[in-house]
Amino acid sequence: MTTLQFLRDGQVLAEVDACTGDLLIDVARFHEVPLHWRCGQGTCGTCAVHIAHAGQPATVKVGRKERNVLLRAGLIDAAQAAADTWPDTPQTVRLACHLSVTDVPWQVTLPQDS
């Protein structure tokens, strides 16, 4: 079990416990965190988030499907889409439907409301 803190515009929206291996999007939905999403299947790109945790900076392996969706959504460039490992930093954009919770507490920054 680990703690996830959801933020938007620097304000904490929720702090919840999650089990290692849970998909981040499922945790957000279960706890009614206002995370934008449409498909929940990793194809639309609307659940983009930024993750901060104690293990950063590091590198992270990102799957081809997630990279393609982020490229199509205009959230990364072609060079980043071509790389299967990325810097794991708080600035790195990820999709909540592709992220499995780890045993390290996370701060999850949600995009601004539009």
Side-chain angles (χ1 to χ4, degrees):
M1 193 75 74
T2 192
T3 301
L4 305 180
Q5 192 176 58
F6 291 89
L7 302 105
R8 179 174 283 138
D9 296 325
Q11 294 186 326
V12 176
L13 301 177
E15 189 167 308
V16 303
D17 290 328
C19 293
T20 301
D22 286 348
L23 283 177
L24 181 58
I25 194 168
D26 293 338
V27 174
R29 285 191 278 195
F30 180 80
H31 291 285
E32 299 181 0
V33 173
L35 170 64
H36 299 290
W37 62 277
R38 278 191 299 242
C39 72
Q41 303 297 313
T43 60
C44 71
T46 58
C47 65
V49 295
H50 296 273
I51 306 295
H53 60 83
Q56 292 170 325
T59 57
V60 62
K61 186 171 176 83
V62 181
R64 184 177 57 196
K65 183 177 179 181
E66 183 177 11
R67 289 180 280 141
N68 287 341
V69 171
L70 289 168
L71 177 64
R72 191 175 62 243
L75 298 171
I76 62 170
D77 61 24
Q80 194 170 5
D84 63 350
T85 57
W86 292 354
D88 182 12
T89 70
Q91 293 77 33
T92 303
V93 64
R94 298 294 307 274
L95 296 177
C97 59
H98 284 265
L99 285 172
S100 294
V101 173
T102 67
D103 59 351
V104 176
W106 286 355
Q107 282 190 324
V108 181
T109 301
L110 308 177
Q112 293 180 341
D113 278 332
S114 36

